[in-house]
Amino acid sequence: MNGSLACWTIAAVLLAGCAQLANEPEGAVVDDESVLSRPAGAPDRTVAYGDEPEQIADVRFGRGRPESRPLLVLIHGGFWRPAYDRAHTGPMSDALATAGWTVATIEYRRVPGRPDLTLGDVARAVDALPALIERHNGKAILIGHSAGGHLVLWAGATRAQAPLAGIVALAPVADLRLGQDRNLGSGAVLAFLGVDAQERPDADPIRLPAPAAAVTIVHGELDDTVPIEVARAYVAVFPGTRLVAPRKTGHYGVIDPLSSAWPSVLAELERLAK
């Protein structure tokens, strides 16, 4: 190919790309799910917080001086379904440890129609882990994504005795009735509870007392898996909640260390640790 033809070919490709971008709807975002399968380093250790096989937590010790910071208790999402476990939070856990936090990424039982197994495991983990893990300041920040966001909000409202420094809910299913009405996750709320959400107000963060610890929700403006209206419904009931809404961010950007939303997550953790 001669030089002139090569230049014309490159120009044509660039023009085609510009035309495609021009045809994208304003504010469109590609929700990059690669973080769910991206490799991550092995945890420093795994601890048990109970006798059941799922009652374990992967621990990554923070770089630097994590003793001056709270322990991060990280709760994974996956719409409470057994197919999704803590493995997909590996890149996030690695990045948090690199940023100086000791992180305990918990597993918990996920049995459709038996929510009390899940809730009981989360309660036990939140109560037990700060004493089982070293290299933190004795307090904990709960951080969870999607269904894990629901679980950290629930734990914050029900574990008053836990030494919590704060809660960071990432794209949480913060209102189970609204999540059921919107058919999030193709019926995920009903599958989790086994009954209509109205019958389990005790499992629904928006129908419980406000957590005693400060709450921040980080929710992408363009999330179409758990729409930001769910977070806004929670904030309307609990106006003391801080809502951070990264622009051009979908459901997975808030757990992806490579995303433009990630600095917002780190900033909120730092704010709660002060």
Side-chain angles (χ1 to χ4, degrees):
M1 182 182 292
N2 63 41
S4 296
L5 182 56
C7 289
W8 279 109
T9 302
I10 293 169
V13 170
L14 291 174
L15 286 170
C18 289
Q20 182 176 358
L21 288 173
N23 289 329
E24 291 288 336
E26 186 177 353
V29 64
V30 176
D31 205 1
D32 184 359
E33 299 181 21
S34 66
V35 68
L36 303 180
S37 56
R38 205 176 297 154
D44 294 309
R45 56 190 264 226
T46 298
V47 300
Y49 63 85
D51 297 328
E52 296 294 331
E54 295 95 338
Q55 292 174 338
I56 55 176
D58 290 338
V59 180
R60 290 171 170 85
F61 293 113
R63 314 300 185 260
R65 297 185 57 202
E67 294 85 358
S68 64
R69 291 173 163 179
L71 171 70
L72 297 187
V73 177
L74 174 59
I75 305 182
H76 71 80
F79 280 127
W80 313 277
R81 289 180 168 130
Y84 303 97
D85 62 19
R86 71 192 187 284
H88 75 261
T89 64
M92 180 183 182
S93 301
D94 269 353
L96 290 169
T98 298
W101 302 88
T102 292
V103 187
T105 307
I106 76 164
E107 197 51 87
Y108 53 92
R109 284 174 287 180
R110 305 167 312 286
V111 180
R114 300 189 66 186
D116 293 318
L117 295 180
T118 296
L119 300 176
D121 286 355
V122 168
R124 187 166 187 162
V126 169
D127 291 347
L129 285 173
L132 294 175
I133 299 167
E134 63 274 19
R135 299 191 67 188
H136 59 86
N137 69 5
K139 294 186 177 182
I141 293 176
L142 307 183
I143 178 169
H145 176 241
S146 195
H150 156 262
L151 293 170
V152 298
L153 293 174
W154 175 86
T158 60
R159 313 313 299 165
Q161 73 278 19
L164 298 182
I167 298 161
V168 177
L170 308 172
V173 187
D175 182 337
L176 293 185
R177 290 188 197 173
L178 183 58
Q180 179 177 290
D181 290 345
R182 297 293 184 271
N183 196 34
L184 300 187
S186 300
V189 173
L190 185 59
F192 167 56
L193 295 175
V195 295
D196 190 280
Q198 293 194 56
E199 297 182 38
R200 290 301 305 263
D202 60 305
D204 198 345
I206 202 170
R207 287 164 182 87
L208 293 171
V215 176
T216 294
I217 294 177
V218 183
H219 206 129
E221 279 190 346
L222 300 183
D223 190 333
D224 60 5
T225 300
V226 179
I228 195 170
E229 67 173 304
V230 180
R232 288 176 174 146
Y234 184 89
V235 173
V237 173
F238 301 114
T241 303
R242 177 177 169 85
L243 177 59
V244 178
R247 298 181 64 250
K248 296 187 178 180
T249 298
H251 192 61
Y252 300 102
V254 295
I255 63 167
D256 189 345
L258 303 181
S259 76
S260 61
W262 183 247
S264 295
V265 176
L266 293 180
E268 293 309 312
L269 290 171
E270 294 285 357
R271 190 182 63 81
L272 289 172
K274 291 179 180 178

